[in-house]
Amino acid sequence: MTSEDIRKSFLNFFEKNGHTIVPSSSLIPDDPSVLLTTAGMQQFKKYFTGELDAQVDFKSQNTTSSQKCFRTSDIDEVGDKTHLTFFEMLGNFSFGGYFKREAIKYAYEFITEKLGIEPARIRVTVFAGDSATADGGVGVPYDKESYDIWHKEIGLSADKISKHNRQENFWGPTGNEGPCGPTTEIYVDNVEIWNIVFNEYYCKPDKSLEKLKMPGVDTGMGLERLVVMMQGVDNVFETDIFHPIMSKIFELRPGLDARVARILSDHLRSSIFLIGDGVRPSNKEAGYILRRLLRRVLAYQVTYDIHADLFPSVAKIVADKFGTFYPEVKKIDEILEVLEMERQKFQTAITTGLSKLKKYENVTGQDAFYLYETFGLPFEIVKELAPAEAVKNLSRQDFDEEFKKHQELSRAGAEKKFGGHGLILDTGELKAHDEEELGKVLRLHTATHLLQAALRKVLGDEVKQRGSDITAERTRFDYSFTRKPTPEELKQVEDIINEVVGKDLPVGFIEMSKEEAEKTGALYFFKERYPEKVKVYYVGHSLDEAFSKEFCGGPHVERTSIIGNFKIAKEESIGAGVRRIRGMVS
Ligand code: SER
């Protein structure tokens, strides 16, 4: 059976049993509590809760689908035999139509009769029940009903049915609230293939459970894993789903390391599906996930010198293989345009970063962070592509620590929220939503210090800070000055800043009492109330010969070269004697 046969046979089986086939929803979910679609049930959440009526929308209380899913949790494992970022999930759902008995019987019938799997190869798990959980959740009783159906009605012997706790046999919710309940899972040859969820509860954000008015069924069976089993191959990349992509990659680059080829296949296929659903590379949320995948692809392409036909040929294979079922991947031109734009943006930085990487004798967490911040090299790539000797002691923890240091250095009152939502840096003056924005904000922050110093050099000491606000897009600096600076003066300011950038001066700080700090001549913002002990940030080799020194909480880049090219985008008056500059770095 090909993967297409298996997908079709699943949907037809459930259609014959009174289910309406519903097309996959987009990878970009309606549900704002999750970044990407991770399960088949997501598009049906409101039918489980009774907010929407399946009978009205689907002419049936039961539906079936093959859903596009993306799980970031497995990204580090990709390259082994089973893990993927993008995958398809086959599922059947019931919203108050049938419950445990039918769900179990359908699953068993499909596996043994449609797929022809020997009953002897099958074993299952059910929920063992628990009392209150450590994190404040309430207890849920043992699912005896499912056990009895498997044992007495299906006829599985007791040694084929095991009972597990909440971690194994309880689903949900997706996001911070939603339908949830005990599960029963089906294993073939000890590989889990099918997860059947009995949605009996609604999990609330405070972890309490409310009984749903109408119990529902949500099942999920990963297509790729099922196909591995049905085709009797060793790993997912040998199935008909991935084989054509893998062969093409080896054709474009004979002898390529198999793990690299697998990662390329997975990441490219995922990227194409994400782009097909309208995700665009960016520094935020789903766009950032796409960007991470593509950067890794680009880094491999540069390192292993893979033919430039990689993008167009894989896009074509994906369109041919999946376009009938998922028409959005047939928009090859649009998809290629996005891929190419991203290449143009990052290829140079990545190439420079990779060549710097090769020269390291020892990469510290700090170096890894620098390579990430400046050239966009993901940690995985640093670890993998630097000389082996140089990274033998480097761990992800070192990198994470460095990362954290940069965040902590900052702030008073910065806010870190779960899952990359919300702000990771918020000092009032600086705001960043994710690591990439953070990098940009740091560059703009140091640039803002240089801007103030340069303005004073060109326009005189009349210039004093009146306000500042920095996002990943721009810095906005307000200063006192009584006339409009000429274009030549502004050009001079830019030139001075870029000269300091070109000198690659270090940026440091010294902590001292406010009184001492004032004596150093460091600039401070009169509106701000400073504590007794302050940090003086300076740009230069020492505080005495610094180009700029200011009272500041940080954080900043470590060296001025990281800032890149600075440009004044706009200069205007915003009130009597107060002017505003918007500046950008590139
Ligand atoms: N929602 C469950 C899962 O994703 C069953 O579909 O495993």
Side-chain angles (χ1 to χ4, degrees):
M1 277 172 113
T2 64
S3 55
E4 285 89 352
D5 295 337
I6 294 170
R7 192 198 287 124
K8 206 187 291 163
S9 144
F10 181 92
L11 297 173
N12 289 347
F13 172 81
F14 282 100
E15 188 177 38
K16 283 210 185 82
N17 284 296
H19 295 65
T20 299
I21 300 177
V22 178
S24 170
S25 65
S26 165
L27 283 165
I28 309 175
D30 290 334
D31 181 351
S33 67
V34 278
L35 223 46
L36 288 169
T37 301
T38 56
M41 59 80 68
Q42 253 164 274
Q43 69 162 321
F44 299 120
K45 260 173 136 175
K46 290 195 170 139
Y47 298 96
F48 286 116
T49 58
E51 283 164 80
L52 291 174
D53 186 343
Q55 196 68 54
V56 172
D57 292 348
F58 308 120
K59 312 270 174 295
S60 168
Q61 281 172 293
N62 314 318
T63 63
T64 183
S65 68
S66 178
Q67 173 68 47
K68 294 176 283 186
C69 294
F70 191 102
R71 292 190 181 170
T72 45
S73 49
D74 292 336
I75 246 174
D76 285 336
E77 257 77 46
V78 176
D80 68 4
K81 292 185 177 189
T82 53
H83 288 94
L84 298 171
T85 50
F86 169 85
F87 63 97
E88 292 176 65
M89 182 109 92
L90 303 171
N92 56 289
F93 308 89
S94 185
F95 318 104
Y98 56 88
F99 203 43
K100 297 184 181 175
R101 173 162 296 103
E102 292 84 345
I104 289 174
K105 288 190 169 169
Y106 283 142
Y108 189 75
E109 185 185 330
F110 180 73
I111 293 182
T112 53
E113 290 176 23
K114 298 291 158 191
L115 299 181
I117 292 179
E118 285 289 315
R121 295 167 66 189
I122 298 173
R123 67 176 189 85
V124 302
T125 62
V126 299
F127 181 56
D130 59 16
S131 46
T133 60
D135 59 5
V138 285
V140 175
Y142 162 47
D143 186 6
K144 182 168 186 318
E145 193 183 346
S146 292
Y147 183 94
D148 286 346
I149 295 166
W150 282 118
H151 188 49
K152 297 184 186 148
E153 301 182 31
I154 303 284
L156 278 193
S157 55
D159 63 317
K160 293 284 182 65
I161 312 173
S162 49
K163 298 173 196 161
H164 294 276
N165 64 14
R166 194 175 285 229
Q167 221 176 348
E168 307 285 332
N169 278 80
F170 197 88
W171 163 266
T174 54
N176 60 356
E177 62 182 307
C180 61
T183 69
T184 177
E185 292 176 357
I186 303 175
Y187 287 68
V188 173
D189 304 334
N190 294 322
V191 175
E192 183 205 327
I193 62 157
W194 204 339
N195 187 17
I196 300 169
V197 182
F198 301 119
N199 278 323
E200 300 185 57
Y201 305 98
Y202 190 87
C203 299
K204 301 216 241 158
D206 66 3
K207 297 206 164 58
S208 63
L209 302 179
E210 199 166 78
K211 201 113 184 133
L212 280 173
K213 277 194 221 75
M214 162 192 89
V217 172
D218 150 29
T219 90
M221 176 153 60
L223 176 70
E224 291 79 356
R225 195 182 288 185
L226 185 63
V227 173
V228 171
M229 186 188 83
M230 293 302 293
Q231 297 183 346
V233 290
D234 172 66
N235 66 71
V236 69
F237 299 96
E238 288 177 15
T239 61
D240 71 318
I241 297 175
F242 277 103
H243 188 68
I245 306 177
M246 290 289 283
S247 315
K248 190 69 196 180
I249 291 175
F250 285 121
E251 189 188 310
L252 294 173
R253 175 56 171 80
L256 183 64
D257 177 72
R259 186 176 153 271
V260 172
R262 288 173 177 183
I263 295 172
L264 285 172
S265 307
D266 169 81
H267 284 17
L268 274 170
R269 185 175 84 125
S270 301
S271 301
I272 290 165
F273 269 94
L274 287 170
I275 298 168
D277 273 344
V279 179
R280 293 292 174 268
S282 78
N283 298 336
K284 274 210 286 245
E285 304 181 341
Y288 181 60
I289 295 171
L290 173 60
R291 180 159 277 174
R292 245 178 88 186
L293 297 177
L294 289 177
R295 279 185 177 181
R296 199 153 173 211
V297 169
L298 283 170
Y300 283 140
Q301 205 180 2
V302 171
T303 304
Y304 298 106
D305 198 12
I306 300 168
H307 198 284
D309 275 351
L310 181 68
F311 288 179
S313 43
V314 173
K316 176 156 188 331
I317 293 169
V318 171
D320 290 347
K321 182 77 187 165
F322 304 96
T324 316
F325 201 76
Y326 302 108
E328 58 280 5
V329 296
K330 284 198 290 198
K331 301 177 283 188
I332 295 191
D333 290 343
E334 193 182 318
I335 289 168
L336 278 178
E337 198 184 312
V338 177
L339 291 173
E340 277 308 321
M341 258 171 61
E342 198 63 4
R343 182 217 300 284
Q344 280 166 25
K345 258 199 193 141
F346 286 105
Q347 185 136 336
T348 319
I350 286 181
T351 309
T352 316
L354 286 169
S355 71
K356 284 212 186 322
L357 185 60
K358 300 267 147 55
K359 296 187 192 121
Y360 276 90
E361 280 169 17
N362 180 35
V363 181
T364 63
Q366 220 172 350
D367 298 327
F369 183 74
Y370 165 78
L371 288 161
Y372 165 79
E373 201 190 18
T374 316
F375 305 106
L377 297 189
F379 173 80
E380 308 81 72
I381 287 294
V382 171
K383 186 77 184 161
E384 209 173 308
L385 301 181
E389 227 359 69
V391 285
K392 69 172 196 282
N393 296 320
L394 177 71
S395 69
R396 185 177 283 275
Q397 207 186 341
D398 298 335
F399 175 80
D400 288 346
E401 268 167 23
E402 195 55 34
F403 205 99
K404 229 169 104 207
K405 241 190 347 221
H406 271 252
Q407 288 173 345
E408 274 167 7
L409 257 177
S410 60
R411 65 191 137 155
E415 199 189 345
K416 187 166 167 44
K417 281 199 199 158
F418 177 73
H421 290 282
L423 292 163
I424 59 168
L425 175 70
D426 183 3
T427 65
E429 183 190 15
L430 314 177
K431 286 175 201 68
H433 291 86
D434 56 41
E435 305 105 64
E436 179 136 347
E437 285 196 5
L438 184 66
K440 200 81 189 275
V441 161
L442 296 191
R443 292 163 58 200
L444 282 164
H445 186 201
T446 311
T448 308
H449 281 213
L450 300 184
L451 174 63
Q452 180 165 212
L455 280 168
R456 287 167 66 90
K457 273 205 166 45
V458 176
L459 304 177
D461 290 351
E462 190 195 329
V463 171
K464 292 206 168 61
Q465 177 175 356
R466 300 297 290 270
S468 125
D469 180 89
I470 300 171
T471 67
E473 272 73 48
R474 49 102 187 115
T475 171
R476 200 183 69 200
F477 182 73
D478 298 342
Y479 65 105
S480 50
F481 194 57
T482 40
R483 66 169 169 86
K484 186 173 177 57
T486 64
E488 292 72 32
E489 284 169 334
L490 292 178
K491 172 82 174 55
Q492 220 180 325
V493 168
E494 268 179 11
D495 289 347
I496 292 175
I497 295 172
N498 287 320
E499 200 188 309
V500 174
V501 168
K503 283 190 188 150
D504 192 24
L505 295 179
V507 181
F509 69 83
I510 299 179
E511 219 165 351
M512 56 185 105
S513 73
K514 196 158 73 179
E515 209 187 317
E516 258 183 296
E518 276 168 20
K519 281 193 216 138
T520 67
L523 301 176
Y524 57 92
F525 180 24
F526 73 96
K527 253 168 97 184
E528 183 102 8
R529 286 169 157 271
Y530 292 95
E532 267 324 302
K533 238 181 148 43
V534 295
K535 284 180 187 167
V536 173
Y537 265 88
Y538 61 95
V539 176
H541 294 288
S542 72
L543 189 57
D544 289 339
E545 49 188 64
F547 171 78
S548 134
K549 40 191 163 182
E550 282 191 35
F551 283 40
C552 180
H556 285 273
V557 295
E558 281 168 36
R559 305 192 68 88
T560 55
S561 65
I562 298 172
I563 296 171
N565 195 283
F566 179 81
K567 246 196 126 32
I568 293 178
K570 194 170 178 188
E571 202 284 338
E572 63 190 328
S573 162
I574 54 163
V578 186
R579 310 196 59 87
R580 172 169 288 178
I581 284 180
R582 283 169 202 270
M584 315 223 274
V585 290
S586 60

